[in-house]
Amino acid sequence: LQIVRNFDEVAFVQNLVYYIEAGYRTPDYGVWERGDKTNQGIRELNSSSVGMVKAALQALNDVGDLFGDGSKGSVIHVLPDQIQQCAALLTSMLPRESFSKETDLALLSIISYPAFAVEEQSLIQLTRQTIIDTLLGRYGCRRFLRDGYKTPLEDPSRLHYNNSELQQFEDIECEWPLSICLLMLDALFSHDDTMVEHYWKVMENIIIKENDLRLVPELYKVPYDKVAEEKRQRGSQDREAYGAIPFLWGQALYIICCLLHDGFLTPAELDPLRRRLSAHEKHPPCEVQVTILAETYEVQQELLAQGIRVQNISEIDETRRICKIGTYRSSIGSRDRLGESAKLGLTGRPLDREIGVLSTSKLYQLGQKFVIFTPQFMDRKRSYLMYDIRILMNEWSSVLQYIYSSWNNTSVSGRPLIVLIVAKNMLEAVSL
């Protein structure tokens, strides 16, 4: 099924990448679209949102050309640094969801189906167990702690909560059956037959059977007259189905669970890009390739006098080109900018966004030429500190370590190649 049919639509998809690639540093209202716990319109950085961004970037990076005919013009370009930024943020935040939410059932969707955004097995297990221990009840998981949504003590006349009233929602938060579907899908993809059958039995007890239909309700809430007893002992009272019946999100997940459970679908059919295997694949250690070039013939001769034989930039094959980021940006025409479309009014990637070292550590093909960029931190126009050779060498050491530890997490094929151009001032600084 071909969805994208022309280059304007390719440009639209490319601009979607540019839009979401900043998700690791963009606060939003989260998957529940209500912001922080108090519902006062306060946006937060949410792990579930960042996980979805990471999964989307990795999926687009793995798709190849959108036309399916080998056309290079229909390839969507994703900068590996943006994927790594999301991965680093998830590693530092999980199992926490945001500043105000200790954890959230939405995290189930990024540690397993559909996102598979976390590669570290120990972090997946920690997040899953935290959700089960903190949020899971008889009818499903609470969305997050002290969630007042549709509880009997919520004031329906206003959309926000006062900070002082959040405590009254403790232990009576509504429980969402869709979380059981997510846990069952996690068990199905993990081939944990024991937990699959466990969650299947739980689901059988909480779905609503009506006119030969099996419906998944939006949530289960504590009846008003049983609030006091539930607060005394959480999970002691029977709850009643409430909200949308069926709840389409939960119903869709339940149907997928049934198809997988009964063998009509396989995990591979739901995950053609094999993202589910990312947590189990073992990558060989990354080998960082470093190429040293002399900026001028004079520098080349000085290095040769010290027994260091290198090429200078002018000796590079004409089919290959060494570019500085700033030089490249100023030399290309506006027509060549990725994602630009006059018909749709799209201008491509903003020029003020930095290019990370992972993106400058691989070869690019522009027409008939292969191009590699020097790291942006070496641009002396950006910072006078790069004139200090000791600071520059410390920066180089940090960059090489970063590339070594991060390259395998970004779904980039091949080995990284980084270029060090030795300038005249570097040798003068060393001699001093």
Side-chain angles (χ1 to χ4, degrees):
L1 176 63
Q2 185 175 349
I3 299 175
V4 179
R5 296 183 176 274
N6 57 58
F7 287 109
D8 288 309
E9 293 177 353
V10 172
F12 176 75
V13 176
Q14 184 67 64
N15 278 269
L16 286 179
V17 171
Y18 299 149
Y19 174 71
I20 68 171
E21 70 178 9
Y24 70 92
R25 53 183 170 85
T26 306
D28 65 358
Y29 293 103
V31 68
W32 309 114
E33 300 181 352
R34 302 188 78 175
D36 76 325
K37 281 187 181 183
T38 60
N39 294 350
Q40 295 185 22
I42 301 174
R43 294 175 296 169
E44 298 183 303
L45 205 57
N46 293 280
S47 296
S48 56
S49 299
V50 175
M52 287 296 176
V53 168
K54 178 176 180 288
L57 292 175
Q58 287 181 310
L60 282 168
N61 191 55
D62 294 339
V63 163
D65 66 286
L66 297 182
F67 292 167
D69 59 358
S71 168
K72 293 181 180 179
S74 64
V75 173
I76 298 300
H77 296 269
V78 178
L79 296 182
D81 295 273
Q82 311 305 325
I83 298 175
Q84 176 56 25
Q85 293 280 16
C86 293
L89 187 70
L90 286 176
T91 301
S92 64
M93 286 187 66
L94 290 176
R96 193 173 189 90
E97 163 69 351
S98 66
F99 180 77
S100 70
K101 299 170 186 173
E102 297 81 359
T103 192
D104 194 304
L105 79 81
L107 295 177
L108 291 172
S109 63
I110 68 167
I111 63 172
S112 186
Y113 179 83
F116 302 104
V118 183
E119 284 89 9
E120 190 177 335
Q121 191 64 241
S122 59
L123 190 57
I124 293 174
Q125 294 173 357
L126 172 63
T127 304
R128 182 195 301 118
Q129 198 59 47
T130 300
I131 293 171
I132 291 174
D133 294 342
T134 308
L135 304 178
L136 185 59
R138 289 166 53 192
Y139 300 86
C141 291
R142 297 173 276 181
R143 296 193 303 180
F144 47 85
L145 297 178
R146 297 185 176 182
D147 173 25
Y149 180 68
K150 291 191 176 180
T151 61
L153 300 184
E154 182 185 41
D155 184 353
S157 65
R158 52 185 166 86
L159 295 176
H160 70 279
Y161 305 136
N162 297 319
N163 289 328
S164 59
E165 70 178 320
L166 288 178
Q167 188 173 3
Q168 71 176 345
F169 303 133
E170 191 168 348
D171 294 329
I172 61 166
E173 303 95 333
C174 295
E175 296 178 354
W176 294 63
L178 72 88
S179 60
I180 301 298
C181 297
L182 289 171
L183 286 167
M184 183 174 173
L185 285 168
D186 178 41
L188 283 163
F189 277 95
S190 302
H191 303 289
D192 189 340
D193 295 336
T194 302
M195 295 311 298
V196 167
E197 294 307 316
H198 169 72
Y199 290 125
W200 181 259
K201 291 177 182 177
V202 173
M203 181 58 66
E204 287 295 298
N205 292 330
I206 61 178
I207 61 172
I208 296 175
K209 301 177 178 66
E210 184 178 291
N211 298 327
D212 295 328
L213 297 176
R214 305 160 74 84
L215 307 178
V216 178
E218 180 180 0
L219 50 82
Y220 278 88
K221 74 169 189 175
V222 179
Y224 183 80
D225 59 347
K226 296 182 179 180
V227 167
E229 289 82 356
E230 181 71 10
K231 278 182 169 290
R232 275 194 290 269
Q233 184 178 353
R234 174 168 170 75
S236 61
Q237 304 301 308
D238 293 332
R239 296 179 176 231
E240 58 187 16
Y242 194 68
I245 303 175
F247 183 51
L248 295 184
W249 182 9
Q251 191 72 33
L253 290 174
Y254 175 66
I255 292 172
I256 294 174
C257 286
C258 292
L259 292 173
L260 284 170
H261 183 266
D262 295 338
F264 293 105
L265 272 181
T266 64
E269 291 174 298
L270 282 177
D271 179 33
L273 294 178
R274 303 175 64 190
R275 294 291 310 137
R276 67 192 184 282
L277 304 179
S278 60
H280 306 284
E281 292 177 339
K282 293 184 178 180
H283 299 281
C286 172
E287 296 181 8
V288 182
Q289 304 171 101
V290 179
T291 297
I292 300 176
L293 295 174
E295 189 174 47
T296 63
Y297 176 78
E298 290 75 15
V299 173
Q300 182 184 27
Q301 293 304 307
E302 287 191 45
L303 291 174
L304 184 60
Q306 300 296 324
I308 304 173
R309 186 182 297 274
V310 299
Q311 287 182 298
N312 66 60
I313 295 178
S314 62
E315 295 175 335
I316 302 299
D317 191 309
E318 290 185 359
T319 61
R320 290 170 171 79
R321 182 179 173 195
I322 309 296
C323 277
K324 296 180 180 178
I325 292 294
T327 304
Y328 173 66
R329 281 176 170 167
S330 61
S331 64
I332 61 173
S334 60
R335 292 181 306 165
D336 300 320
R337 290 181 58 192
L338 286 172
E340 185 176 58
S341 171
K343 184 183 294 185
L344 299 179
L346 302 174
T347 57
R349 193 173 194 266
L351 292 178
D352 58 350
R353 289 190 187 174
E354 291 196 355
I355 307 295
V357 292
L358 297 178
S359 301
T360 58
S361 299
K362 61 178 186 175
L363 285 170
Y364 294 85
Q365 185 174 0
L366 297 178
Q368 300 300 316
K369 291 188 176 183
F370 291 95
V371 178
I372 191 167
F373 306 115
T374 57
Q376 191 162 351
F377 74 86
M378 290 192 65
D379 185 359
R380 293 190 292 272
K381 295 179 180 179
R382 298 177 69 247
S383 174
Y384 66 88
L385 292 176
M386 291 302 103
Y387 283 96
D388 188 316
I389 189 64
R390 290 168 297 181
I391 294 178
L392 182 60
M393 289 301 101
N394 285 337
E395 187 74 16
W396 260 100
S397 177
S398 300
V399 164
L400 291 176
Q401 180 60 39
Y402 172 72
I403 295 173
Y404 175 79
S405 61
S406 304
W407 187 261
N408 286 336
N409 298 331
T410 58
S411 303
V412 181
S413 59
R415 293 180 295 176
L417 172 62
I418 189 166
V419 176
L420 168 60
I421 297 179
V422 180
K424 182 72 173 177
N425 72 289
M426 295 181 184
L427 300 180
E428 292 172 349
V430 172
S431 63
L432 291 175

